[in-house]
Amino acid sequence: MVHIVGAGPGDPELITVKGRRYLEEADVVIYAGSLVNPALLAVCREDAVIHNSAKMTLDEVIAVIEEAEAAGKMTVRLHTGDPAIYGAIQEQMDAMAKKGIAYDVVPGVSSFLAAAAALRQEYTLPGISQTVIITRQPGRTPVPEREQLRALAAHQSTMCIFLSITMLETVVAELIAGGYAEDTPIAIVQKASWPEQKIVRGTLATIVAKVEGAQIDRTAMIVVSHCLGADYELSRLYAPEFSHMFRKASR
Ligand code: SAH
């Protein structure tokens, strides 16, 4: 059996209880070494065989899994954040399905949510934005034309932009070209939930210069949102005059 497990954003306590249990029990662990905090591996058995997939091809990963399966062993495939977001797990799942290898997926805390926690920010403020867009700037992986930042910017929703910090200037230019005003708030969270977590806040006009001074260069989330520092309407959920399934209106 193979368990694809979301490791969470970095803090070893931000893995699910189930994910941690599988890690503790695993015979074989293949972890995404470029992003998964190695501190998570401290709970693995002493005799567990641990592979860093940063140095492996898809075929090599599948070969390790196949070998473990043939020996009746349990494998954990550990991915950063939640495996469904830029995790490249579909190709791994499809390869396993083809070979008749049983697997399941344990979700994890994605870094865009760890970034919200670091910023102490709700992404969905009434009257400001009720939508969160998860996207990226094209890199070696292309992004469909209809999903270019410039096009998505038209919605003025909260946007969490992955994998793009090294292209921040282009990101800002695209957002402005798509209709965001230059004074729109933006925040960068580098290594959210890690001990070395860093936050830089600014506006579309100021952020590029600010980030240069702060030496932000890797593993960072870009959050663009009118929610950051906005005056907003109170939510209906806790409003005294608003009834819902669990509470009657008091006025
Ligand atoms: N599956 C992961 C994302 C993998 S793509 C998830 O759900 O979070 C890698 C990108 O995720 C990085 O380029 C960065 O944009 C973001 N990222 C991952 N961990 C992060 C962290 N701790 N803090 C900020 N951004 C992070």
Side-chain angles (χ1 to χ4, degrees):
M1 180 77 185
V2 178
H3 301 289
I4 298 173
V5 174
D11 179 345
E13 291 188 318
L14 289 179
I15 188 171
T16 62
V17 174
K18 181 172 260 180
R20 185 186 157 114
R21 177 164 66 77
Y22 286 149
L23 256 191
E24 287 167 354
E25 293 170 355
D27 302 296
V28 177
V29 176
I30 309 170
Y31 74 106
S34 55
L35 282 169
V36 168
N37 187 347
L40 276 154
L41 304 174
V43 305
C44 293
R45 286 185 359 226
E46 228 159 67
D47 61 340
V49 180
I50 295 177
H51 299 267
N52 178 355
S53 64
K55 299 172 183 145
M56 300 162 77
T57 62
L58 173 62
D59 288 345
E60 285 167 347
V61 168
I62 298 301
V64 167
I65 289 173
E66 260 191 302
E67 196 185 315
E69 286 299 298
K73 293 182 170 164
M74 189 266 265
T75 302
V76 164
R77 177 70 174 106
L78 193 62
H79 280 273
T80 179
D82 185 280
I85 310 285
Y86 307 116
I89 58 164
Q90 199 66 52
E91 59 201 37
Q92 299 177 54
M93 295 190 292
D94 291 347
M96 286 191 271
K98 246 190 216 154
K99 292 178 188 290
I101 298 171
Y103 65 87
D104 64 6
V105 183
V106 181
V109 176
S110 181
S111 56
F112 80 97
L113 298 172
L119 293 167
R120 297 179 172 81
Q121 182 65 55
E122 178 173 344
Y123 288 151
T124 53
L125 293 179
I128 309 281
S129 177
Q130 292 289 292
T131 304
V132 182
I133 295 177
I134 291 168
T135 189
R136 61 171 298 172
Q137 184 63 14
R140 262 174 299 179
T141 306
V143 172
E145 189 58 38
R146 61 186 178 277
E147 295 183 353
Q148 299 295 320
L149 279 186
R150 180 186 295 248
L152 297 178
H155 298 285
Q156 307 266 314
S157 309
T158 295
M159 292 175 83
C160 297
I161 306 172
F162 287 65
L163 294 159
S164 304
I165 190 63
T166 58
M167 296 170 273
L168 184 61
E169 272 191 78
T170 314
V171 167
V172 167
E174 282 288 297
L175 292 171
I176 291 172
Y180 275 100
E182 292 205 358
D183 63 356
T184 305
I186 179 169
I188 311 292
V189 185
Q190 177 166 272
K191 298 203 99 173
S193 87
W194 290 64
E196 58 267 44
Q197 168 183 298
K198 228 187 240 180
I199 296 175
V200 180
R201 292 174 185 267
T203 63
L204 290 180
T206 65
I207 198 70
V208 170
K210 282 193 160 177
V211 157
E212 272 168 18
Q215 284 165 328
I216 303 270
D217 49 14
R218 55 198 209 104
T219 321
M221 183 63 50
I222 304 171
V223 180
V224 190
S225 180
H226 295 297
C227 290
L228 293 160
D231 288 330
Y232 55 90
E233 299 162 20
L234 294 181
S235 83
R236 302 286 82 208
L237 187 56
Y238 297 108
E241 72 279 8
F242 188 70
S243 293
H244 57 66
M245 206 193 302
F246 301 105
R247 182 167 54 74
K248 274 223 160 75
S250 56
R251 63 173 199 247

